[in-house]
Amino acid sequence: MCPQNGDAPLDGVQDAVAVEGKTDGLNGPNGTPHPHAANRHSSTSQHRNPYAPRASDFLNNVSNFKIIESTLREGEQFANAFFDTETKIAIAKGLDKFGVEYLELTSPAASEQSRRDCEAICKLGLRAKILTHIRCHMDDARIAVETGVDGVDVVIGTSSFLREFSHGKDMAYITKSAIEVINFVKSKGIEVRFSTEDSFRSDLVDLLSIYQTVDKIGVNRVGIADTVGCANPRQVYELVRTLRGVVACDIEVHLHNDTGMAIANAYTALEAGATHIDTSVLGIGERVGITPLGGLVACLYAANPEYVKSKYNLAMLREIENLVAEAVEVNVPFSNPITGYVAFTHKAGIHAKAILNNPSTYEILRPEDFGLTRYVSIGHRLTGWNAVKSRVEQLGLQLTDEEIKDATAKIKELADVRTQSMDDVDSLLRVYHSGIQSGVLEVGQKDALDRLLREHRAAQLASA
Ligand SMILES: CC(=O)SCCNC(=O)CCNC(=O)[C@H](O)C(C)(C)COP(=O)(O)OP(=O)(O)OC[C@H]1O[C@@H](n2cnc3c(N)ncnc32)[C@H](O)[C@@H]1OP(=O)(O)O
Ligand SMILES: O=C(O)CCC(=O)C(=O)O
Ligand SMILES: [Zn+2]
């Protein structure tokens, strides 16, 4: 792994340094010396600098990547998806406003309307580059280059499964048609990408050989596709890193989410030197889809918030997700990163206290950077007096800490029976406060408080 280093344990020390660098928000090896390094390795470290940059520091593209947004291609392969022209244009404009670098559209060979929609989106004059996605076949390529796209994404299966059961072609034929299609697209002066479908179940020698061939003839990007979602982060790292050493062109990854790895795999691909990541809004695509745009953005924001904020209009994310969710008739999942309805809701008393003091205690993403708001939920039995105190202050009530703790005990007692709404909690706090103010209530007088609450409820019912 490290050319200067034949001493295995040193790798461990280097890992520790890399972690320190990250903690400082640095990509490079600028961390302070590891306290144990000198003692443990003094004999070898005389000859080399253990803190010198490693190959992996230079490969890492976590803060240098482009998104190829494929909601209008992979996303159209989602079981529920039917996008009419108007919806496609709304999605394209929304994603463009968000700031994705590329939009990938369904093949114009798929249907007459697909071809017309592709042309219509090319004419919108968006900032994002427009790509279309075709089979590795001259018939498709001829149609694609006439649509006005900025580039063509070419794909063909290389695994034995697809060679035998999909297109029936061997590697020699695949290579020959790849060269023909790539040269043809290039001759039109537009970008071309060549991708192998089912890369992780393809023979490594076949893969590297075809990628090297297309790189030599000037393809702009090569793509690796985890078509069945079988890859894990380590496999992704190894394949991308190996490919990085073989081709000079950009590297795109397309990662399905069948085993829930798509975001982690995308992150790891960037660490290994990938330059472009395919996404779709909410991850929609064949089966359970691919790397979701929002989840990827959350993950990359956590790594480098300033870079991600500078590239994308993050406050647009919710609007785009809602647009696509509505178009394909699904709900945004409750646990969705950033936009899930509980993404910034804090509940347990211990969390609530710390969050109220400093949100970074329990938040890696700042809701305000996404145009969103944090919530502290208090009407439940896991609440604590610090959270209740914050609400008391918001309501402008004057209560001592001892009184707030007493009121909190009542909230918990009631919440043991059922969760209390914010209105329930507010009423209780107001009743408690007026009881204290008027002198009919003192700390610990449970019966008096129960009576005041009963009277309050009766008055509410009478006025309803
Ligand atoms: C993993 C992915 O998601 S890849 C992208 C998938 N996208 C699509 O399929 C786009 C939508 N598809 C379509 O509209 C149609 O399938 C079309 C227009 C592409 C082709 O339709 P048809 O000609 O009716 O063929 P059909 O879909 O039944 O079969 C696919 C054909 O493409 C061939 N083929 C499959 N993959 C490739 C490829 N990557 N490169 C070249 N040829 C291919 C198959 O051998 C088959 O050829 P055949 O007609 O000689 O049997
Ligand atoms: O073109 C590509 O890279 C990917 C095609 C695709 O959708 C897949 O293999 O899952
Ligand atoms: Zn796919």
Side-chain angles (χ1 to χ4, degrees):
M1 293 287 271
C2 176
Q4 308 113 307
N5 174 20
D7 183 0
L10 259 179
D11 275 338
V13 174
Q14 288 193 325
D15 283 350
V17 173
V19 171
E20 284 177 1
K22 280 218 172 88
T23 311
D24 290 337
L26 301 171
N27 268 339
N30 299 338
T32 49
H34 189 284
H36 309 304
N39 297 340
R40 277 163 56 197
H41 302 289
S42 54
S43 59
T44 48
S45 58
Q46 293 163 3
H47 305 296
R48 53 177 299 281
N49 173 6
Y51 310 110
R54 295 177 300 167
S56 56
D57 297 324
F58 297 115
L59 287 178
N60 194 331
N61 279 331
V62 163
S63 298
N64 181 28
F65 60 86
K66 294 194 167 79
I67 290 179
I68 297 187
E69 226 301 327
S70 189
T71 302
L72 295 175
R73 194 284 288 178
E74 177 74 48
E76 206 181 1
Q77 296 174 224
F78 173 52
N80 267 18
F82 168 78
F83 300 138
D84 59 21
T85 309
E86 198 187 334
T87 307
K88 283 188 189 179
I89 288 177
I91 293 172
K93 284 184 172 169
L95 287 166
D96 186 58
K97 216 162 141 195
F98 177 79
V100 296
E101 290 84 354
Y102 289 87
L103 294 174
E104 186 181 61
L105 311 182
T106 291
S107 170
S111 73
E112 190 44 28
Q113 190 59 47
S114 302
R115 192 186 62 75
R116 283 198 291 263
D117 291 345
C118 186
E119 288 184 352
I121 291 173
C122 288
K123 286 190 187 127
L124 292 175
L126 302 178
R127 204 171 42 148
K129 286 190 179 178
I130 310 298
L131 306 170
T132 191
H133 185 260
I134 61 163
R135 293 174 295 178
C136 187
H137 197 292
M138 284 300 290
D139 289 350
D140 290 9
R142 283 193 197 93
I143 302 170
V145 299
E146 294 303 321
T147 56
V149 290
D150 300 296
V152 178
D153 285 348
V154 180
V155 69
I156 187 157
T158 45
S159 65
S160 58
F161 284 112
L162 297 181
R163 281 194 279 130
E164 186 174 350
F165 299 107
S166 174
H167 51 69
K169 305 293 192 286
D170 62 16
M171 285 309 296
Y173 184 95
I174 293 171
T175 307
K176 189 166 155 289
S177 31
I179 294 170
E180 187 185 12
V181 171
I182 291 164
N183 281 335
F184 171 72
V185 177
K186 265 170 63 74
S187 75
K188 301 293 173 183
I190 58 178
E191 272 186 33
V192 58
R193 181 222 65 181
F194 173 81
S195 182
T196 65
E197 195 185 338
D198 206 8
S199 317
F200 288 89
R201 296 190 301 173
S202 300
D203 180 82
L204 183 62
V205 175
D206 286 345
L207 284 185
L208 298 181
S209 153
I210 196 160
Y211 286 136
Q212 212 167 21
T213 302
V214 297
D215 185 41
K216 277 195 190 127
I217 63 166
V219 83
N220 296 90
R221 281 189 311 286
V222 289
I224 291 175
D226 183 15
T227 305
V228 296
C230 63
N232 64 42
R234 188 172 177 151
Q235 291 166 323
V236 170
Y237 189 89
E238 280 173 9
L239 183 55
V240 175
R241 186 170 171 155
T242 305
L243 182 57
R244 188 62 290 168
V246 168
V247 296
C249 63
D250 285 338
I251 299 177
E252 172 181 341
V253 288
H254 177 93
L255 303 156
H256 275 265
N257 201 31
D258 298 71
T259 62
M261 293 283 193
I263 297 174
N265 282 346
Y267 185 85
T268 311
L270 290 175
E271 286 189 310
T275 54
H276 293 66
I277 305 286
D278 289 9
T279 65
S280 68
V281 176
L282 298 172
I284 60 170
E286 290 280 350
R287 308 181 307 282
V288 296
I290 62 167
T291 309
L293 175 66
L296 181 73
V297 162
C299 166
L300 295 170
Y301 168 105
N304 187 344
E306 294 313 315
Y307 177 68
V308 173
K309 281 196 281 179
S310 72
K311 265 163 92 75
Y312 302 117
N313 180 356
L314 299 179
M316 284 281 303
L317 189 62
R318 186 160 69 155
E319 187 182 323
I320 297 167
E321 288 189 344
N322 287 342
L323 172 68
V324 172
E326 197 177 322
V328 300
E329 298 178 341
V330 299
N331 292 319
V332 173
F334 77 91
S335 55
N336 213 38
I338 304 168
T339 55
Y341 87 97
V342 288
F344 297 109
T345 298
H346 304 274
K347 181 171 174 184
I350 293 169
H351 289 234
K353 175 185 175 180
I355 273 282
L356 289 163
N357 284 332
N358 178 350
S360 296
T361 49
Y362 287 103
E363 274 173 4
I364 197 64
L365 311 172
R366 282 160 45 94
E368 53 272 37
D369 285 344
F370 301 88
L372 300 169
T373 315
R374 91 177 43 83
Y375 297 95
V376 175
S377 151
I378 59 174
H380 51 80
R381 61 183 167 207
L382 308 184
T383 201
W385 77 275
N386 289 282
V388 174
K389 180 176 179 172
S390 154
R391 186 64 185 162
V392 165
E393 285 166 2
Q394 282 173 3
L395 295 174
L397 306 176
Q398 302 295 322
L399 290 174
T400 65
D401 287 356
E402 200 191 358
E403 289 159 353
I404 292 169
K405 286 177 185 173
D406 194 32
T408 304
K410 187 69 199 172
I411 295 171
K412 279 176 176 278
E413 185 190 314
L414 295 171
D416 254 345
V417 180
R418 69 163 176 85
T419 298
Q420 303 291 294
S421 69
M422 207 60 175
D423 281 350
D424 293 336
V425 172
D426 289 353
S427 294
L428 185 148
L429 293 175
R430 287 200 171 95
V431 168
Y432 192 97
H433 178 255
S434 70
I436 294 283
Q437 293 295 105
S438 60
V440 296
L441 183 64
E442 280 177 27
V443 169
Q445 289 183 330
K446 267 171 77 27
D447 290 349
L449 178 55
D450 285 340
R451 183 175 44 76
L452 289 175
L453 288 171
R454 269 198 309 277
E455 285 169 8
H456 175 74
R457 245 172 266 128
Q460 269 185 326
L461 283 174
S463 69

